[in-house]
Amino acid sequence: MPVKAMCPEFTFLSNLAQEMFSAAIKALSQIFEPHFRSIFFKALGLTVLLLIVVWIAIQGLVGYFIDLPQDWQDVTLSILTGIGAFLGLGYILAPVSAVVVAFYQDQISELVEEHSYPNDRRGKAMPLGESIVTALRFFGVVVVANIFALMLFFIPGIGQVAFLLVNGYLLGREYFEFIAMRFMSVPEAKAFRRSQSGTVFAAGLIVALVLAIPILNLITPLFATVFMVHVFKELRSRRGLSV
């Protein structure tokens, strides 16, 4: 007897993997199109500019509050502070980029809907105030989760798994609910996400894998938004709901 016939779970997981892979490939191919590239470079430029301002501010504050007796000590402190701040800010580059891209998420979603689902009902943009609150909440959740994951990162076999699981759950939840809230109320979006928790978590794991790759993680917010539009559309279509 074929394995698929013996194990319905195998069929479900196989179909789920195919759907996620197909949606991920579609999203990756789209984010390099001209209209998405322009959003990426604008968001990346704003992110880098913001971090440079923060870096300069840290340097200035340390120089203002700490005055060492010897000039060479001041220079050494300034260099060490600069290096430390650079490394620290580099760690939060991806989360900050996610916050910046959050202000473009409606635009990104509209572009995906326009090019990939021209005959479907269009989602409604979130109010600016709600978008800001969502972006800040997302930033806080991701930073806290990554601090937790970083504490475990150097434990062989545990830290890496913790990173993927924590970020897979959080990223899947936040990005999926954002897309869902363009089509339904907040309670309905959360309920729909819970009803599809397994698929949303699997999608979140794919986003977390992209986030785990240095340099490539800069495209995570853009990729995740495009990807989740496809995931949301697939789930709505599977349930026979208006999309």
Side-chain angles (χ1 to χ4, degrees), residues 7-232:
C7 185
E9 291 81 3
F10 178 87
T11 302
F12 171 77
L13 292 175
S14 176
N15 291 337
L16 177 61
Q18 291 176 10
E19 290 172 1
M20 293 297 100
F21 181 75
S22 175
I25 293 299
K26 189 183 299 183
L28 282 172
S29 66
Q30 283 184 301
I31 62 176
F32 294 106
E33 294 175 359
H35 38 272
F36 288 115
R37 283 205 307 267
S38 64
I39 294 175
F40 169 72
F41 285 121
K42 282 191 292 187
L44 181 60
L46 288 172
T47 301
V48 172
L49 179 61
L50 177 61
L51 293 180
I52 288 174
V53 171
V54 174
W55 184 81
I56 293 173
I58 292 173
Q59 288 278 79
L61 287 172
V62 171
Y64 180 79
F65 286 106
I66 301 178
D67 185 18
L68 298 175
Q70 301 294 328
D71 288 342
W72 69 267
Q73 293 175 327
D74 281 327
V75 172
T76 302
L77 177 63
S78 178
I79 293 173
L80 292 176
T81 301
I83 295 173
F86 178 80
L87 294 175
L89 293 175
Y91 177 72
I92 66 170
L93 179 61
V96 173
S97 175
V99 173
V100 174
V101 170
F103 293 100
Y104 295 96
Q105 277 186 301
D106 278 310
Q107 182 182 350
I108 295 168
S109 302
E110 288 170 5
L111 285 170
V112 179
E113 293 168 25
E114 178 184 345
H115 288 83
S116 298
Y117 308 95
N119 299 320
D120 290 355
R121 176 171 64 91
R122 300 292 175 84
K124 294 181 180 179
M126 293 176 63
L128 179 60
E130 193 171 342
S131 294
I132 293 174
V133 171
T134 300
L136 293 177
R137 182 192 68 187
F138 175 70
F139 176 76
V141 167
V142 171
V143 169
V144 170
N146 277 278
I147 289 174
F148 170 75
L150 184 64
M151 293 167 62
L152 300 175
F153 190 78
F154 297 103
I155 303 177
I158 296 179
Q160 295 79 0
V161 173
F163 177 88
L164 290 176
L165 293 179
V166 170
N167 280 286
Y169 172 75
L170 292 174
L171 294 171
R173 184 188 71 183
E174 295 296 327
Y175 279 105
F176 185 84
E177 286 187 359
F178 172 83
I179 300 302
M181 284 188 287
R182 287 175 48 81
F183 294 88
M184 54 185 71
S185 68
V186 174
E188 289 174 333
K190 291 183 179 295
F192 184 51
R193 191 265 305 168
R194 286 193 292 268
S195 72
Q196 305 295 324
S197 58
T199 301
V200 173
F201 178 62
L205 286 177
I206 292 177
V207 176
L209 283 171
V210 175
L211 180 65
I213 302 174
I215 306 300
L216 187 63
N217 60 6
L218 293 176
I219 71 167
T220 301
L222 179 57
F223 166 76
T225 303
V226 176
F227 177 50
M228 283 300 177
V229 173
H230 293 306
V231 172
F232 175 81

